[in-house]
Amino acid sequence: GVWQNKTKILLYAHKPSNRRVWTNMDELVTGIRNNPDYRDILFDTVEDFGALSFVEQARTFNSADIHVMVHGAQMVNSIFAVDGSFFYELGCSVPTFVGNEHFMDWLDGHHKSVEECPAGSLEDAVCVVCEGSDYLANFHMKKEGFVAMVDQVLKKFYHNHRLGRR
């Protein structure tokens, strides 16, 4: 594939809460897993962080290189992420603590908020389409935007990896 070395991307749709749910995550992940360009990437999805024990949550975060998930309480597990991890936090609005520059410095991590698409956005814009009018609204991503997001984070991850940073 285009991408190498079994990089692991952890994804979470926030379904158990019935709010701020990434409604088409499973469909997007299935599509990209079937794309030969991404055959060397491990896309790991979690159905319900609340069903995992404390240790399982810590291991899940620690085993991933890249974390792509809806803003929510599960992000507290970022303290278990390996140095140099990337976090893409999704939602119609993302009031984040993970994106705090001091916290990211401590983790040697990288954060990006992915929020509501502005009017007139292109199909491959890295943003979410909100299905309601408040920050708790469910949302989906356009397929092209999802692929662009995955490509973007993989390029950044591999660039840092080549520089000797994780």
Side-chain angles (χ1 to χ4, degrees), residues 2-119:
V2 173
W3 303 107
Q4 306 283 321
N5 87 352
K6 294 295 182 190
T7 300
K8 185 174 181 180
I9 300 177
L10 177 64
L11 301 107
Y12 181 61
H14 206 251
K15 290 179 197 172
S17 72
N18 292 317
R19 58 185 187 176
R20 295 189 326 263
V21 176
W22 182 3
T23 58
N24 68 336
M25 183 196 79
D26 292 331
E27 170 189 330
L28 294 169
V29 170
T30 297
I32 205 163
R33 279 180 178 148
N34 292 328
N35 182 327
D37 288 344
Y38 301 93
R39 71 175 172 262
D40 294 322
I41 304 299
L42 300 173
F43 293 93
D44 185 22
T45 59
V46 173
E47 191 68 29
D48 183 2
F49 268 101
L52 302 178
S53 72
F54 172 78
V55 171
E56 290 169 327
Q57 289 185 40
R59 282 187 185 135
T60 299
F61 261 74
N62 184 262
S63 70
D65 302 298
I66 298 166
H67 307 77
V68 178
M69 55 189 61
V70 176
H71 165 73
Q74 76 283 346
M75 294 301 282
V76 74
N77 291 300
S78 59
I79 63 172
F80 302 113
V82 295
D83 289 350
S85 290
F86 279 73
F87 300 89
Y88 272 46
E89 196 170 5
L90 286 62
C92 292
S93 175
V94 179
T96 181
F97 74 88
V98 175
N100 176 291
E101 66 182 78
H102 301 293
F103 184 65
M104 283 294 104
D105 285 347
W106 179 70
L107 284 177
D108 188 26
H110 312 275
H111 179 272
K112 179 179 173 107
S113 292
V114 178
E115 297 181 310
E116 186 170 15
C117 297

